[in-house]
């Protein structure tokens, strides 16, 4: 069921009231939603059970300190005692779909609440704009009415956001949440465009059924096209930079092997990663052998092995959330790299991460009648 | 580059290709000595990290040998290996590394001659390609 939700007071308050209704009416027993930290400089996913806390809810705050699907896993994977309404950006939503395939998120207990993503800033930038007394939400909503998604003057969105071609829940082979709140291409100061999976909820929320307005369809189309173009530009730039062994090494030359990119990657969920064991603590003499063979050996060793192995293990499910790039202290465009590689792997299998929880992950399954060109002479 | 001798790391399934390599040996079938064999219980046991390690250490080629489709000792290990090899090829290609240095071949236990032929063929192909670009890279 699709329709309009009347805006009272402000857009954000209207969304917060909707969340409050879900919680107080018992549709959900808890809400996972970003709350402004007490100092206001961040908005962090919080499991809320007391509706009074929703006063601090900041579902539109353009900041992404953690991929929400990771924390959704914490509160569902081993059995949630109740139903949680999860307010997620579309990259987080697509991540939740991927993690559900490997039982790291249990979607049975989740009411998914998506929203048009109007872009996000890095954590540092967001804190700075709050310190400067800037309001990031109102201008973003104003621009979105006309179909625009632009950062504040003097600020830039996270690189991953600029190349995200799936910012709209349910659009472009992304999984439709139970509730999708549309802000783009609609008069979002008067009414919000809401898509629901289940009719009953529409009555509870006071939705006024309607046809999707043409202006919104056009705005979504234009945004997706612009993002796709930027994505392809970044893919091409990667290939321009990296085309042989030397240029690949150059791409990772400044890597300090802190493994932050892996720690924050929601898809890298393994509890016992081989790179966190002593497998790569080789006997001392081994390094000397390598140095003898190649003339020398970079230490710590296996930097490229770390990255290439991660690609081999998870690029098929990379959702392009960009947490890795955010976390890299050396400014390596990790997400650009993983998205480029991931796209090729995904294309080979016709796989779209975040499309459908009923699909199996690329490495979890096989077909007897595929890839016949491999293995034969 | 006439004196270039390719180094091949071969990951072979115990139930088929490894036995075939053994058969090639005991039958005194000649094949080039360029291959270092690592025995696995199943091609499906091959974590791609081992292939990545071999490639980045400077192996000129990697050969993965498994049972013909339908013949896996463990039902479906070779089908899983095949998916992983497809992933390996895609990743290597995107990184600017010739994916055709990594070969997957189905070679049954009785195909000693085919194993020898495969190694001969691969050595010739790798001689064409020249040494791996990672052979002399110390900063991997
Ligand atoms: S590799 Fe980076 S962009 Fe891809 S899922 Fe992991 S953190 Fe997100
Ligand atoms: S976060 Fe950056 S520096 Fe740290 S391991 Fe990843 S790429 Fe290397």
């Amino acid at each position: 069921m699709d329709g309009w939700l009347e805006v009272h007071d402000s857009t954000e308050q209207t969304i917060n009231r909707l969340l409050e209704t879900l919680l107080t009416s018992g549709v959900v027993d808890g809400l996972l939603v970003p709350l402004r930290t007490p100092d206001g400089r961040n908005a962090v996913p919080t499991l809320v059970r007391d509706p009074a806390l929703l006063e601090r809810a900041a579902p539109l705050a353009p900041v992404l300190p953690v991929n929400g699907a990771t924390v959704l896993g914490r509160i569902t994977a081993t059995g949630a005692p109740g139903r949680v309404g999860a307010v997620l950006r579309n990259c987080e939503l697509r991540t939740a779909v991927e993690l559900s395939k490997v039982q790291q998120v249990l979607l049975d207990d989740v009411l998914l609440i998506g929203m048009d993503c109007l872009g996000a800033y890095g954590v540092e930038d967001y804190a700075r704009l709050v310190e400067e007394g800037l309001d990031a939400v109102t201008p973003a909503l104003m621009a979105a009415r006309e179909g625009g998604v632009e950062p504040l003057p003097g600020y830039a969105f996270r690189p991953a956001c600029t190349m995200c071609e799936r910012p709209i829940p349910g659009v472009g082979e992304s999984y439709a949440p139970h509730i999708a709140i549309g802000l783009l291409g609609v008069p979002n100061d008067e009414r919000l465009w809401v898509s629901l999976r289940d009719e009953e909820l529409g009555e509870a929320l006071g939705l006024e059924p309607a046809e999707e307005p043409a202006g919104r369809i056009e705005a979504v189309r234009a945004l997706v096209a612009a993002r796709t173009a930027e994505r392809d530009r970044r893919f091409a730039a990667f290939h321009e930079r990296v085309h042989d062994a030397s240029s690949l090494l150059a791409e990772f030359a400044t890597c300090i092997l802190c493994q932050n990119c892996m720690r924050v990657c929601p898809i890298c969920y393994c509890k016992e990663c081989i790179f966190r064991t002593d497998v790569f603590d080789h006997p001392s003499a081994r390094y000397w052998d390598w140095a003898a063979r190649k003339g020398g050996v970079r230490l710590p060793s296996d930097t490229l092995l770390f990255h290439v192995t991660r690609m081999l293990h998870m690029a098929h499910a990379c959702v392009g959330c960009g947490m890795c790039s955010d976390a890299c202290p050396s400014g390596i465009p990790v997400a650009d790299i993983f998205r480029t590689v991931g796209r090729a792997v995904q294309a080979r299998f016709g796989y779209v991460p975040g499309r459908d929880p009923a699909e199996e992950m690329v490495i979890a399954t096989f077909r007897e009648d595929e890839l016949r060109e491999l293995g034969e002479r | 580059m006439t004196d270039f001798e390719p180094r091949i790391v071969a990951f072979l399934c115990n139930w088929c290709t490894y036995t075939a390599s053994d058969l090639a040996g005991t039958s005194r079938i000649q094949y080039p000595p360029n291959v270092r064999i690592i025995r696995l219980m199943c091609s499906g046991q091959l974590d791609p990290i081992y292939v990545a390690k071999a490639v980045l250490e400077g192996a000129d080629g990697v050969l993965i040998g498994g049972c013909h489709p339908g013949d896996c000792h463990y039902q479906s290990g070779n089908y899983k290996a095949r998916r992983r090899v497809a992933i390996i090829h895609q990743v290597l290609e995107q990184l600017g590394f010739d994916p055709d240095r990594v070969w997957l071949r189905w070679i049954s236990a009785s195909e000693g001659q085919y194993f020898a032929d495969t190694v001969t063929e691969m050595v010739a192909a790798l001689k064409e390609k020249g040494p791996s670009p990672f052979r002399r890279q110390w900063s991997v």
Side-chain angles (χ1 to χ4, degrees):
Chain A
M1 172 186 187
D2 299 340
W4 294 110
L5 183 68
E6 210 61 42
V7 167
H8 299 285
D9 310 327
S10 75
T11 310
E12 190 160 80
Q13 275 168 354
T14 303
I15 295 170
N16 288 355
R17 206 163 18 248
L18 179 151
L19 298 175
E20 193 181 332
T21 308
L22 294 174
L23 190 56
T24 51
S25 65
V27 175
V28 298
D29 306 297
L31 279 167
L32 180 68
V33 57
L35 296 196
R36 287 192 177 81
T37 52
D39 62 306
R41 288 154 63 248
N42 200 354
V44 295
T46 308
L47 174 61
V48 173
R49 304 205 65 182
D50 178 358
L53 258 189
L54 291 176
E55 211 193 326
R56 302 201 68 81
L60 298 175
V63 62
L64 191 60
V66 61
N67 187 310
T70 305
V71 292
L72 183 60
R74 296 273 152 77
I75 60 173
T76 61
T78 54
R83 191 166 171 77
V84 61
V87 180
L88 299 172
R89 279 172 198 284
N90 212 40
C91 59
E92 300 174 301
L93 227 144
R94 289 181 283 111
T95 308
V97 168
E98 287 310 288
L99 290 181
S100 75
K101 296 173 187 172
V102 283
Q103 287 78 49
Q104 300 302 305
V105 163
L106 293 193
L107 286 179
D108 311 345
D109 302 324
V110 182
L111 182 92
L112 293 165
I113 305 163
M115 235 165 276
D116 290 355
C117 178
L118 303 181
Y121 302 98
V123 177
E124 248 181 276
D125 280 349
Y126 182 77
R128 185 159 59 91
L129 69 84
V130 172
E131 283 160 16
E132 287 177 0
L134 296 173
D135 167 15
V137 175
T138 311
L141 287 170
M142 265 170 70
R145 275 171 231 155
E146 311 304 322
V149 178
E150 293 294 330
L152 292 174
Y155 284 86
F157 287 141
R158 304 162 66 247
C161 300
T162 65
M163 66 188 297
C164 172
E165 76 284 48
R166 295 191 174 93
I168 311 294
V171 172
E173 301 196 276
S174 58
Y175 187 57
H178 298 88
I179 304 176
I181 300 175
L183 307 163
L184 192 73
V186 298
N188 57 41
D189 51 342
E190 295 165 21
R191 51 191 196 271
L192 308 179
W193 177 252
V194 177
S195 300
L196 298 177
R197 257 201 239 160
D198 118 44
E199 303 270 328
E200 273 172 43
L201 204 52
E203 278 163 36
L205 298 175
L207 217 62
E208 191 191 310
E211 290 284 310
E212 184 163 10
R216 171 166 169 82
I217 296 172
E218 177 50 32
V220 168
R221 198 203 54 77
L223 179 64
V224 171
R227 292 287 181 74
T228 306
E230 173 62 9
R231 178 201 70 182
D232 291 343
R233 193 193 65 72
R234 282 177 172 266
F235 287 169
F238 171 75
H239 284 127
E240 191 92 347
R241 286 197 309 277
V242 174
H243 40 77
D244 60 11
S246 306
S247 53
L248 176 60
L249 286 165
E251 188 80 353
F252 289 105
T254 57
C255 174
I256 63 168
L257 208 53
C258 62
Q259 303 187 349
N260 279 0
C261 48
M262 173 178 84
R263 279 161 211 267
V264 298
C265 174
I267 304 297
C268 265
Y269 67 88
C270 296
K271 303 279 187 283
E272 290 180 34
C273 176
I274 189 167
F275 289 103
R276 293 204 212 171
T277 65
D278 58 7
V279 166
F280 298 100
D281 295 345
H282 306 289
S284 302
R286 184 74 54 78
Y287 298 103
W288 291 72
D289 287 346
W290 283 322
R293 199 170 77 225
K294 291 192 169 191
V297 58
R298 176 179 173 162
L299 296 170
S301 63
D302 300 306
T303 300
L304 207 47
L305 182 68
F306 167 70
H307 293 291
V308 173
T309 300
R310 225 165 71 74
M311 290 172 202
L312 293 168
H313 281 172
M314 58 64 61
H316 65 273
C318 170
V319 292
C321 63
M323 301 314 297
C324 49
S325 290
D326 289 356
C328 179
S330 299
I332 296 170
V334 192
D336 288 33
I337 302 167
F338 277 71
R339 281 214 64 188
T340 310
V341 171
R343 195 240 337 222
V345 176
Q346 291 155 18
R348 178 100 186 234
F349 294 96
Y351 187 76
V352 178
R355 177 169 54 191
D356 183 355
E359 287 178 83
E360 280 189 279
M361 264 195 191
V362 169
I363 50 161
T365 185
F366 62 86
R367 289 207 336 260
E368 290 186 10
D369 63 352
E370 67 182 359
L371 306 171
R372 298 254 193 209
E373 67 282 11
L374 292 176
E376 310 294 345
R377 211 201 284 233
Chain B
M1 206 50 80
T2 45
D3 56 352
F4 162 58
E5 284 300 333
R7 269 181 252 166
I8 299 169
V9 177
F11 297 98
L12 308 182
C13 160
N14 174 64
W15 302 100
C16 52
T17 316
Y18 184 80
T19 310
S21 75
D22 216 24
L23 180 64
T26 52
S27 319
R28 300 180 190 283
I29 301 170
Q30 290 293 324
Y31 68 90
N34 303 53
V35 32
R36 278 74 164 161
I37 294 175
I38 296 165
R39 182 172 64 111
L40 304 172
M41 288 312 287
C42 176
S43 57
Q45 189 194 353
L46 183 68
D47 189 305
I49 190 173
Y50 300 118
V51 177
K53 183 78 175 160
V55 164
L56 296 172
E57 290 283 311
D60 301 300
V62 174
L63 173 64
I64 298 150
C67 305
H68 289 271
D71 292 348
C72 175
H73 192 78
Y74 308 99
Q75 306 293 335
S76 60
N78 49 0
Y79 291 124
K80 292 174 186 161
R82 187 167 65 183
R83 276 214 162 195
R84 288 184 204 140
V85 169
I87 292 173
I88 291 165
H89 281 170
Q90 292 296 333
V91 169
L92 292 179
E93 187 174 20
Q94 292 298 307
L95 299 180
F97 183 89
D98 181 0
D100 201 29
R101 288 180 184 272
V102 177
W103 287 24
L104 174 70
R105 286 291 184 276
W106 310 132
I107 303 175
S108 76
S110 60
E111 294 177 311
Q113 183 65 51
Y114 180 34
F115 174 77
D117 292 348
T118 299
V119 173
T120 308
E121 191 193 334
M122 192 169 187
V123 168
L126 292 171
K127 281 193 172 171
E128 279 291 300
K129 292 181 190 294
S132 159
F134 284 107
R135 222 180 217 241
R136 297 291 301 168
Q137 291 284 2
W138 54 268
S139 79
V140 285

